[in-house]
Amino acid sequence: MSRTFSKGGIHPNDSKISENAAIEQFPLPETGYVSMAQHLGAPAEPVVSPGDTVKVGQLLGKPSGFISAAVHSPFSGTVKSVEPYADLAGNKVMTVVIEVNGDEWLDTIDRTDTIVREIPYSSSEIVARIAECGIVGLGGATFPTNVKLSPPPGKKAEYLIINGAECEPFLTSDYRLMLEMPEQLLVGTRIMMKALGLEKAYIGIEDNKPAAISKLGEFRDQYRDIEIVPLKKKYPQGGEKQLIKAVTGREVPSMALPIDVGAVVQNVGTAVAVYEAVQKNKPLFEGIVTITGRCLPQQHNFRLRAGTMISSILEAVGGIPDECMKIISGGPMMGKAVSNLSAATLKGTSSLLLMTEKETKRTEESNCIRCGKCVSACPMGLEPYLLNKLGRRGMTDELEQEHVYDCIECGCCSYTCPANIPLLDVIRNSKAAVMKIMRSRPKK
């Protein structure tokens, strides 16, 4: 029987119109734009200079703090410049610009298709290799994976949960990865189990992906220590706290982290990246990116190098259709609108979603009718109508008392509101303001 979380959630049309698009290798661009801020935490510090020759996999930026990650070259060629460059939102971030010449990889990277199943490394060696290869979480947050696999003193991991829910509408990159690289995913899961000292792991997959459940089930006899857990199709099933509740029955308290209830959650893409890092010595410089939208004549799942300009991707799929009014990086629920087509993809880029005016047009806002639908839909048990009211009045003390910081910004409240109130917009801004105040307080 499929499992799920208990509080809230919604059932949007999953719109997986690209699910049958097999992974294709995207051609190399003429110029690569490699951001030093491709992860949560401090940006990497560049270690190359203009005029340097680089190979695929070569270190471009070293971590600059505990929460930071190494950045490696997705391209071979010559470094043209190291300077601030506009990202998806138009913000300037330090970027290594590479004039691409061929596709020469470091000799240390194993590029064969042979599955390497034996894991001869210790826990500390695994974590070190993951850090050296710049692996980050590919479920959206891009948190450095080596940090997540190193629980703080006094905390112990009891559950490793691999997130294969992919509950965001339209996204299918994780689905294709599960179908096309199942054993790499399973070995990557075992590597993280060894890093955490665990004997069992779980892979949660929504039951609207029976082919993925079946494909991984084919390896059941070889990987009896990894349980495939079917999950009910319900958004946001892939949220960390919701996934933990569904798989383990444990609830992560307010302001707590998954490790506080003994859980570590990693995305399926992260598991494959861990496999490639530890078993193949391959840094994270490419990923699977879904290019989708009902206005596109053809859907795609590309294996695509980080640092590829968005405009060149759109040109390769036939250009931007006339009816397209918005491009979103990610899914329609939690993704961000792209304001700069000259920006480049990042390690964590999962999708480019092209939407029409009809799909994106907001209906005029009206007064709250106190129906309570937003409360019923909130997977965190919050009261979005109240947070909206407090947020519009700038009542930060009251917002903190109402746990606005627990909002996971899933958008369920806005989706269900019959008055078309932009609840998420107001709550997201209110949360940022409250978190800023909380961080400014002296630590006890």
Side-chain angles (χ1 to χ4, degrees):
M1 183 177 176
S2 299
R3 308 181 200 176
T4 191
F5 55 98
S6 53
K7 293 179 184 175
I10 58 176
H11 299 273
N13 186 335
D14 59 16
S15 302
K16 304 290 188 179
I17 57 178
S18 57
E19 64 182 356
N20 294 321
I23 297 171
E24 313 164 64
Q25 184 67 52
F26 191 81
L28 296 174
E30 294 182 1
T31 306
Y33 299 83
V34 188
S35 171
M36 294 293 103
Q38 301 197 52
H39 48 266
L40 190 70
E45 180 183 335
V47 296
V48 292
S49 303
D52 289 352
T53 299
V54 295
K55 295 182 179 180
V56 176
Q58 183 173 326
L59 184 70
L60 296 182
K62 63 181 180 180
S64 61
F66 177 65
I67 307 297
S68 187
V71 175
H72 299 79
S73 181
F75 313 106
S76 62
T78 305
V79 176
K80 293 176 63 177
S81 65
V82 181
E83 60 185 339
Y85 196 81
D87 65 8
L88 296 172
N91 301 314
K92 294 292 185 75
V93 295
M94 192 59 67
T95 300
V96 176
V97 182
I98 300 171
E99 184 178 344
V100 179
N101 182 12
D103 193 28
E104 187 177 357
W105 292 43
L106 291 178
D107 295 337
T108 52
I109 301 174
D110 179 0
R111 301 181 65 187
T112 67
D113 293 331
T114 305
I115 303 293
V116 183
R117 299 176 181 85
E118 185 181 353
I119 308 167
Y121 310 107
S122 67
S123 173
S124 59
E125 288 172 332
I126 288 170
V127 172
R129 290 172 78 91
I130 289 171
E132 289 168 5
C133 287
I135 310 303
V136 299
L138 299 179
T142 60
F143 191 86
T145 302
N146 60 295
V147 178
K148 212 170 187 181
L149 294 177
S150 306
K155 307 289 184 183
K156 179 175 173 54
E158 300 173 55
Y159 295 92
L160 172 62
I161 304 171
I162 306 300
N163 184 358
E166 198 166 44
C167 59
E168 268 270 18
F170 287 98
L171 273 59
T172 59
S173 53
D174 286 350
Y175 174 68
R176 294 309 310 183
L177 205 60
M178 289 186 280
L179 289 184
E180 299 185 42
M181 301 184 72
E183 197 164 11
Q184 292 92 326
L185 163 59
L186 292 165
V187 176
T189 300
R190 272 191 175 166
I191 291 170
M192 290 189 283
M193 289 166 59
K194 189 168 184 179
L196 293 168
L198 296 176
E199 299 296 324
K200 189 172 178 64
Y202 305 83
I203 301 178
I205 307 173
E206 280 193 328
D207 55 15
N208 65 339
K209 304 174 184 65
I213 294 172
S214 176
K215 173 58 70 174
L216 289 168
E218 293 175 10
F219 297 88
R220 186 178 293 108
D221 290 342
Q222 301 101 297
Y223 297 88
R224 292 185 177 276
D225 49 355
I226 302 174
E227 180 181 339
I228 310 303
V229 182
L231 305 168
K232 286 185 180 179
K233 175 187 170 293
K234 183 165 73 164
Y235 178 86
Q237 186 70 79
E240 271 195 333
K241 295 182 179 182
Q242 288 67 42
L243 190 58
I244 291 167
K245 177 67 176 179
V247 173
T248 72
R250 297 185 180 185
E251 190 158 328
V252 182
S254 175
M255 290 296 285
L257 297 172
I259 194 62
D260 293 321
V261 296
V264 173
V265 179
Q266 300 282 8
N267 176 264
V268 292
T270 310
V272 172
V274 164
Y275 165 81
E276 292 180 332
V278 176
Q279 306 294 72
K280 300 286 188 173
N281 201 33
K282 179 186 172 184
L284 179 56
F285 53 74
E286 64 179 358
I288 313 304
V289 180
T290 300
I291 313 298
T292 186
R294 293 191 178 93
C295 59
L296 280 175
Q298 189 174 353
Q299 312 299 308
H300 300 273
N301 285 292
F302 287 123
R303 183 180 304 281
L304 198 147
R305 305 279 175 94
T308 303
M309 192 180 288
I310 288 176
S311 59
S312 67
I313 299 171
L314 298 174
E315 287 172 10
V317 298
I320 302 174
D322 292 339
E323 58 268 41
C324 175
M325 294 299 293
K326 181 181 284 189
I327 299 172
I328 296 174
S329 177
M333 300 300 294
M334 297 185 72
K336 300 292 190 295
V338 176
S339 62
N340 174 28
L341 295 180
S342 294
T345 58
L346 307 171
K347 292 179 182 181
T349 301
S350 61
S351 173
L352 291 176
L353 170 60
L354 281 65
M355 304 189 78
T356 65
E357 182 178 11
K358 182 180 179 181
E359 292 171 319
T360 60
K361 186 176 181 179
R362 290 192 176 187
T363 306
E364 187 176 351
E365 178 183 348
S366 58
N367 292 329
C368 173
I369 61 173
R370 302 181 183 277
C371 63
K373 285 187 176 182
C374 62
V375 178
S376 299
C378 180
M380 296 304 297
L382 303 176
E383 297 181 300
Y385 76 92
L386 176 59
L387 298 178
N388 171 65
K389 185 176 180 180
L390 297 173
R392 290 179 185 237
R393 297 180 179 181
M395 301 172 70
T396 52
D397 288 345
E398 290 79 2
L399 283 162
E400 184 175 351
Q401 292 169 10
E402 294 296 330
H403 302 272
V404 69
Y405 43 73
D406 281 336
C407 172
I408 62 173
E409 303 180 24
C410 64
C412 288
C413 54
S414 293
Y415 183 88
T416 59
C417 180
N420 302 303
I421 299 171
L423 296 165
L424 176 59
D425 294 352
V426 176
I427 294 170
R428 179 185 281 134
N429 292 334
S430 301
K431 174 185 171 183
V434 170
M435 294 298 288
K436 184 177 180 179
I437 292 170
M438 293 173 67
R439 284 193 295 267
S440 68
R441 292 172 184 154
K443 294 184 179 179
K444 295 180 181 180

